[in-house]
Every structure is written in C-alpha cells, then in structure tokens.
Amino acid sequence: MNTQDQLYRFVFESLDIRGEIVQMDASWKAVLERYAYPAAVAEQLGQAMAAVILLSATIKYDGSLILQSQGNGPLRTLVVQATRQRTVRGLARWEGELPEGNLAKLYGTGQMMLTVVNRGGERYQGIVGLEGENLAEALEGYFNNSEQLATRFWLVADGERAAGLFLQQLPSELDRQAEWQRIGMLAETITRDELLNLPVQTLLHRLFHEEQVRLFEPEPVAFRCSCSRERIADSLRAMGKAELLSILEEQGAIEVDCDFCNKHYRFDAIDTEQLFIDGVPIDTSDTPQ
C-alpha cells in the first residue's frame, strides 16, 4: 500500500487537460486524532481536505485557501484551510444524529464559500449554493459557473485515508470536447478503493494507459496548524484591556483553545498586562497544552 502524503500533478500531452491526485495518510489521521468525529462527518471532512489540497495547486494565491460549507442541517459547519506549502488543517461542527444521503440531508439549506487570503490582507471570495449529491458535484458546479472551466472531482475518505482526483479542461482554440468526454469516461471507472490505496503511477496507468500522460514530481502534504501564542495574544489585545480584566476578575485567568488542533493557551494577570506594554515581547516559553 502506498502510505505517503503526496500531491501529484499531471498533464495529458496535446489534449489541453490537466489533472491532480492527492492521497493523505498521516495528515488525515492527525485531524481525526483531535476530535471523535462520527463516520458521516469524518467522511465529509476528509473529502474537503482532499479537495482543498487539489485546489491549492490550481488557484494562484500567496497566503491561504479556505473551503467552508455551512447550513441549517445536522452538519452545521465544515472549514478546511490549505497553504501554498501544501499544509492543511480542518474541523467540522455538527448537532445530533447525521443521516446518510446527499448534501441536502446533511447540511439542509446551505452554501459553500471558497476564500483566497493573500499576504497583506487581500481577499477573494466566491459563494455558491451547496447543491448536488456530494462535495465533488458542488465543486464542479462552482467551477463550471464561476470559472467557466469544465472541471471534474472524485473525492473519497475513510477512517485511514483521504484522497482525490481532479481533472480540468484548459482554454484552447481547438474543439477538445470529444477528448474531454473521453478522458472523463475513463476517469469514471475509478473505484473508491483504487483512489485510496493504489500508488499513483499504477492508478494513472490503469485509467489512462492509452493516453500520453506526463507526471510531475510529487509535493509533500502535511497537517499543520498556524495557531501560536503570538496570534492568540493579538486576538486578545483586539478585545481591549477592560474586557480582558473583566474576564480575569471572573475566572482568574484567560483560557483559549484552538479549534483546529486542540492546543490550550493560558494567560494570567501578568501575561495580560504585558499585552498592553509597548516593547515587551510575548513570552513564548509557555508551550500550549
């Protein structure tokens, strides 16, 4: 079994079609270890993680790419973030029992947001209705409508691995519709087990052995949370000193947990005073628990 966390990019020579495959093992398990997600929630979260890594290689940005789905059904919120360095983190929030079925049964009435946050604060956000049988169909609808590029996704996840296949037709002056349909039909033969477990070279050969496919060197994928004591301190400082002192008086300390990685940060009275003293660096020796 192929157990490496990798993103692979490939192109079909002379067909103006590009593709990607991602397979996640340790990076996916790192997310599962932090919360006891029900199987239905974990499946949706794993598919979203695979999707955001695939998207991170197709959208130009210098910062982070965030995929968020939310609705009024049992699965309330799902957020996944990736960086250009192919690091990823994610979380989901739900209420009650989750039924089996399509997105409408899981999310109720919902929407999907794709947000690009560039360094310096520049943002781009696209929002579409959360429609379709699964996340792959919702993303295909987003690209077909917003980007006007024919795009296909295959996304799978279980308790061990998460994986995804992406195909996109590139702009061309030639009529490539027949070739696009042929490649799509070949890709439709992929099975859940193959996408999760086959080595990428074997998978591509099984699907497209009659095509000229150029496979590029893989890029490593890793779970990483961007939280830090400095970032938490910035957020607390924005609340204002009076508000923080009120919390201290009531609770004795300010406790903050990171939703993505479950790290715990604690600020006592001295730490809080230091937040508002110019020139005093934040003490980072207190490793979050």
Side-chain angles (χ1 to χ4, degrees):
M1 179 183 291
N2 177 26
T3 58
Q4 294 184 338
D5 291 47
Q6 304 275 10
L7 170 69
Y8 294 81
R9 291 188 284 179
F10 58 93
V11 295
F12 293 85
E13 302 283 12
S14 304
L15 291 186
D16 297 314
I17 298 174
R18 66 177 174 180
E20 300 166 15
I21 295 176
V22 63
Q23 292 177 326
M24 294 185 290
D25 187 327
S27 55
W28 171 224
K29 290 177 181 176
V31 173
L32 291 180
E33 289 170 355
R34 283 158 173 80
Y35 290 99
Y37 289 114
V41 177
E43 182 178 20
Q44 294 297 314
L45 183 57
Q47 290 181 14
M49 287 185 62
V52 81
I53 287 295
L54 294 170
L55 291 170
S56 73
T58 64
I59 298 176
K60 294 182 179 180
Y61 68 102
D62 183 19
S64 63
L65 176 65
I66 303 167
L67 175 65
Q68 180 174 355
S69 301
Q70 60 185 34
N72 58 7
L75 184 50
R76 295 289 183 176
T77 302
L78 187 150
V79 183
V80 179
Q81 180 185 50
T83 69
R84 287 185 63 192
Q85 291 73 38
R86 313 300 179 231
T87 64
V88 63
R89 62 177 184 167
L91 63 87
R93 294 286 182 262
W94 73 98
E95 293 182 4
E97 297 293 327
L98 273 84
E100 295 184 1
N102 59 18
L103 295 181
K105 290 184 177 180
L106 290 169
Y107 286 98
T109 302
Q111 61 182 9
M112 180 179 67
M113 292 166 283
L114 192 62
T115 306
V116 174
V117 183
N118 288 302
R119 299 186 187 278
E122 181 185 359
R123 280 176 172 258
Y124 165 80
Q125 186 173 76
I127 302 176
V128 295
L130 198 54
E131 300 175 351
E133 289 296 310
N134 49 47
L135 179 61
E137 289 189 7
L139 285 167
E140 289 169 5
Y142 172 85
F143 272 89
N144 292 337
N145 295 327
S146 301
E147 305 296 328
Q148 297 182 343
L149 291 174
T151 304
R152 297 293 309 275
F153 287 87
W154 290 262
L155 305 169
V156 293
D158 60 16
E160 297 292 326
R161 311 193 79 199
L165 167 63
F166 164 92
L167 293 175
Q168 187 170 72
Q169 187 176 32
L170 298 174
S172 173
E173 296 181 357
L174 301 176
D175 183 1
R176 296 292 193 185
Q177 193 59 31
E179 289 90 344
W180 171 250
Q181 290 178 353
R182 184 181 76 251
I183 296 300
M185 291 177 61
L186 292 173
E188 282 286 359
T189 66
I190 195 170
T191 68
R192 175 186 178 90
D193 182 69
E194 288 171 341
L195 186 52
L196 285 170
N197 298 311
L198 279 184
V200 168
Q201 293 86 345
T202 304
L203 181 58
L204 288 176
H205 179 73
R206 195 203 73 76
L207 292 174
F208 310 118
H209 60 275
E210 294 184 354
E211 307 295 331
Q212 291 184 325
V213 179
R214 177 156 52 103
L215 179 64
F216 299 98
E217 287 297 315
E219 301 175 51
V221 176
F223 168 81
R224 187 170 301 158
C225 188
S226 59
C227 75
S228 67
R229 192 169 177 85
E230 292 91 339
R231 292 193 175 197
I232 298 297
D234 288 340
S235 298
L236 293 176
R237 194 179 289 112
M239 294 173 62
K241 188 173 183 179
E243 178 67 19
L244 298 183
L245 292 178
S246 175
I247 297 174
L248 282 172
E249 183 177 354
E250 180 181 344
Q251 302 180 9
I254 300 172
E255 312 277 349
V256 181
D257 293 317
C258 175
D259 288 336
F260 285 97
C261 67
N262 272 347
K263 286 183 179 179
H264 180 74
Y265 297 87
R266 185 179 188 276
F267 291 75
D268 60 20
I270 294 177
D271 297 327
T272 303
E273 286 292 339
Q274 288 180 335
L275 294 177
F276 298 93
I277 299 176
D278 292 339
V280 176
I282 299 299
D283 181 10
T284 59
S285 61
D286 179 19
T287 302
Q289 301 176 358

